[in-house]
Amino acid sequence: EAGVAQSPRYKIIEKRQSVAFWCNPISGHATLYWYQQILGQGPKLLIQFQNNGVVDDSQLPKDRFSAERLKGVDSTLKIQPAKLEDSAVYLCASSPGYQETQYFGPGTRLLVL
Amino acid sequence: QKEVEQNSGPLSVPEGAIASLNCTYSDRGSQSFFWYRQYSGKSPELIMSIYSNGDKEDGRFTAQLNKASQYVSLLIRDSQPSDSATYLCAVELGGTSYGKLTFGQGTILTVHP
């Protein structure tokens, strides 16, 4: 069974630029999560989807971050404009449904200069 | 007070010893608890989940939960150098019914030969 796929794996941008990350969850998984992990900290949930609907986006900085999950499969996370403090690893995870084991993708490492 | 807090590391133990990792959480209504292992530069992977008070054993790993004290721990017996990683405690805080996890900051474990 293929795991969670993410791209790109690395991204370097300058502040005020925009960037987008892509995630393809495990086939059949209804729930998809985007986490931000700053160096030395645990992952922080940004947004959770159930199929193509948003379940929780309470910690998403909506003035600059946006996310969508079209057709309940792939998802994209966008940052526009980026700030220095957005430098982090962005992890995508999926699970078959609510309250089931979450499987993480390899992450995208973002550096904002 | 942080919602999920882990004992500050790093923790260093000799090969073959027992490593003890601790985690406290703030919400008494929390029901689901998880331990993830994260190797440097990699994504988190689930190693243990626990839902009831008491001990749960899986090979060399034992998770312990005490809801009255709002405390969850992970014991690693016969520690091996390959256990060297960051261990993340994650809690599904009370009142969240959609599987949202809140992570601690992680404890770095080093097992030296």
Side-chain angles (χ1 to χ4, degrees):
Chain A
E1 179 181 77
V4 177
Q6 291 188 245
S7 68
R9 295 294 308 278
Y10 305 91
K11 192 73 176 179
I12 301 174
I13 61 173
E14 295 189 349
K15 60 182 179 183
R16 292 187 289 274
Q17 286 187 324
S18 62
V19 65
F21 312 129
W22 173 82
C23 173
N24 181 241
I26 294 173
S27 178
H29 281 196
T31 312
L32 185 147
Y33 312 79
W34 282 103
Y35 290 90
Q36 179 193 58
Q37 186 173 24
I38 294 172
L39 187 64
Q41 299 181 19
K44 181 183 81 170
L45 181 70
L46 293 175
I47 189 167
Q48 177 182 347
F49 292 94
Q50 178 70 10
N51 296 311
N52 59 352
V54 175
V55 174
D56 188 319
D57 63 356
S58 58
Q59 299 188 99
L60 186 73
K62 299 180 184 66
D63 58 334
R64 299 184 299 106
F65 286 65
S66 64
E68 60 181 6
R69 189 182 185 195
L70 299 176
K71 300 180 181 178
V73 182
D74 293 5
S75 177
T76 56
L77 175 70
K78 297 180 182 178
I79 308 174
Q80 182 179 13
K83 292 185 175 181
L84 297 178
E85 59 261 36
D86 298 331
S87 295
V89 176
Y90 291 84
L91 294 163
C92 179
S94 71
S95 63
Y98 292 152
Q99 300 176 320
E100 298 190 64
T101 299
Q102 297 184 27
Y103 298 88
F104 285 82
T108 297
R109 285 158 179 75
L110 173 67
L111 178 61
V112 182
L113 301 176
Chain B
Q1 181 188 6
K2 294 181 180 178
E3 293 178 305
V4 179
E5 196 152 5
Q6 297 183 235
N7 54 325
S8 58
L11 177 65
S12 180
V13 300
E15 185 174 357
I18 296 176
S20 177
L21 304 160
N22 304 315
C23 175
T24 57
Y25 57 95
S26 61
D27 194 321
R28 189 171 292 277
S30 302
Q31 297 294 327
S32 305
F33 308 87
F34 306 87
W35 283 100
Y36 282 80
R37 177 176 61 199
Q38 187 172 28
Y39 292 113
S40 181
K42 302 296 184 182
S43 57
E45 57 177 329
L46 181 68
I47 53 173
M48 290 285 287
S49 59
I50 186 166
Y51 306 98
S52 305
N53 278 330
D55 295 358
K56 180 181 178 182
E57 188 174 317
D58 184 0
R60 297 186 295 111
F61 298 96
T62 299
Q64 299 175 319
L65 176 61
N66 183 326
K67 291 184 179 179
S69 299
Q70 296 174 236
Y71 175 93
V72 59
S73 66
L74 179 71
L75 300 178
I76 306 174
R77 292 182 301 280
D78 188 24
S79 295
Q80 301 297 309
S82 58
D83 295 325
S84 298
T86 297
Y87 289 80
L88 297 163
C89 172
V91 178
E92 188 178 326
L93 295 176
T96 58
S97 57
Y98 304 118
K100 173 182 177 179
L101 296 181
T102 299
F103 284 82
Q105 74 273 28
T107 299
I108 298 173
L109 171 67
T110 301
V111 181
H112 53 86

